[in-house]
Protein backbone atom coordinates (compact mmCIF):
# COMPACT_ATOMS: atom_id res chain seq x y z
CA UNK A 1 0.00 0.00 0.00
CA UNK A 2 2.88 2.37 0.73
CA UNK A 3 4.37 1.60 -2.69
CA UNK A 4 1.04 2.19 -4.42
CA UNK A 5 0.74 5.53 -2.62
CA UNK A 6 4.30 6.36 -3.75
CA UNK A 7 5.37 6.98 -0.17
CA UNK A 8 9.01 7.91 0.39
CA UNK A 9 9.38 5.20 3.03
CA UNK A 10 8.00 1.66 2.87
CA UNK A 11 8.05 -0.16 6.22
CA UNK A 12 9.83 -3.47 5.64
CA UNK A 13 7.10 -5.31 7.51
CA UNK A 14 4.55 -4.09 4.97
CA UNK A 15 6.51 -4.96 1.84
CA UNK A 16 5.57 -7.76 -0.54
CA UNK A 17 9.11 -9.14 -0.33
CA UNK A 18 8.88 -9.42 3.45
CA UNK A 19 5.57 -11.23 3.10
CA UNK A 20 7.17 -13.76 0.74
CA UNK A 21 10.22 -14.18 2.94
CA UNK A 22 8.37 -14.23 6.29
CA UNK A 23 9.18 -17.91 7.00
CA UNK A 24 12.89 -17.13 6.56
CA UNK A 25 12.90 -14.06 8.82
CA UNK A 26 13.31 -14.96 12.48
CA UNK A 27 12.16 -18.25 13.93
CA UNK A 28 14.90 -20.85 13.63
CA UNK A 29 16.44 -19.18 10.58
CA UNK A 30 19.52 -17.03 10.26
CA UNK A 31 19.22 -14.09 7.92
CA UNK A 32 22.17 -12.72 5.95
CA UNK A 33 22.22 -9.76 3.62
CA UNK A 34 24.75 -9.38 0.82
CA UNK A 35 25.18 -5.90 -0.60
CA UNK A 36 27.22 -5.23 -3.72
CA UNK A 37 28.84 -1.88 -4.44
CA UNK A 38 30.91 -0.38 -7.23
CA UNK A 39 33.87 1.97 -7.21
CA UNK A 40 32.82 3.35 -10.60
CA UNK A 41 31.61 6.98 -10.32
CA UNK A 42 28.77 6.14 -12.74
CA UNK A 43 27.21 3.97 -10.01
CA UNK A 44 27.91 6.32 -7.08
CA UNK A 45 24.21 6.93 -6.30
CA UNK A 46 23.37 3.22 -6.37
CA UNK A 47 26.40 2.42 -4.23
CA UNK A 48 25.42 5.09 -1.70
CA UNK A 49 21.86 3.73 -1.52
CA UNK A 50 23.16 0.17 -1.14
CA UNK A 51 25.43 1.22 1.73
CA UNK A 52 22.54 3.03 3.44
CA UNK A 53 20.42 -0.10 3.07
CA UNK A 54 23.21 -2.23 4.55
CA UNK A 55 23.56 0.15 7.49
CA UNK A 56 19.83 -0.09 8.21
CA UNK A 57 19.86 -3.88 7.90
CA UNK A 58 22.67 -3.97 10.45
CA UNK A 59 20.24 -2.44 12.96
CA UNK A 60 17.57 -5.13 12.49
CA UNK A 61 17.45 -7.64 15.33
CA UNK A 62 15.91 -11.07 14.83
CA UNK A 63 15.11 -13.35 17.71
CA UNK A 64 15.34 -17.09 17.33
CA UNK A 65 13.19 -19.77 18.85
CA UNK A 66 14.14 -23.38 19.32
CA UNK A 67 11.57 -25.92 18.30
CA UNK A 68 11.27 -29.54 19.26
CA UNK A 69 12.56 -31.94 16.60
CA UNK A 70 9.82 -33.56 14.52
CA UNK A 71 9.76 -36.89 12.79
CA UNK A 72 10.25 -36.92 9.04
CA UNK A 73 6.57 -37.74 8.50
CA UNK A 74 5.47 -34.90 10.79
CA UNK A 75 7.77 -32.52 8.90
CA UNK A 76 6.33 -33.62 5.54
CA UNK A 77 2.77 -33.23 6.84
CA UNK A 78 3.54 -29.71 8.06
CA UNK A 79 5.05 -28.77 4.69
CA UNK A 80 2.08 -30.23 2.81
CA UNK A 81 -0.35 -28.27 5.01
CA UNK A 82 1.66 -25.09 4.38
CA UNK A 83 1.61 -25.65 0.62
CA UNK A 84 -2.12 -26.30 0.63
CA UNK A 85 -2.68 -23.08 2.57
CA UNK A 86 -1.05 -21.15 -0.28
Amino acid sequence: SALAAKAKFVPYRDSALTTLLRPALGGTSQTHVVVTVSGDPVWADETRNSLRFAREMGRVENSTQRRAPRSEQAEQSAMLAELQAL
Side-chain angles (χ1 to χ4, degrees), residues 10 16 19 22 40-41 46 50 56 66 68-70 72-73 76 84-85:
V10 177
T19 302
R22 188 170 310 269
D40 190 334
E46 288 296 325
S50 295
E56 291 301 313
R66 283 209 173 280
R70 292 193 259 185
E72 186 174 331
Q73 183 165 355
Q76 289 175 353
Q84 289 173 343

Side-chain angles (χ1 to χ4, degrees), residues 37-84:
V37 297
S38 173
D40 190 334
V42 172
W43 299 106
D45 288 337
E46 288 296 325
T47 294
R48 191 176 308 111
N49 288 334
S50 295
L51 291 172
R52 285 181 186 146
F53 174 78
R55 183 181 59 216
E56 291 301 313
M57 290 300 98
R59 295 179 184 164
V60 173
E61 293 183 18
N62 282 343
S63 60
T64 60
Q65 302 168 348
R66 283 209 173 280
R67 66 177 187 163
R70 292 193 259 185
S71 68
E72 186 174 331
Q73 183 165 355
E75 190 71 34
Q76 289 175 353
S77 296
M79 291 191 330
L80 181 60
E82 187 176 337
L83 285 172
Q84 289 173 343

Side-chain angles (χ1 to χ4, degrees), residues 11-43:
Y12 85 95
R13 290 182 181 171
D14 295 341
S15 76
L17 181 59
T18 303
T19 302
L20 291 173
L21 295 175
R22 188 170 310 269
L25 300 173
T28 59
S29 303
Q30 288 187 347
T31 306
H32 298 272
V33 175
V34 176
V35 177
T36 57
V37 297
S38 173
D40 190 334
V42 172
W43 299 106

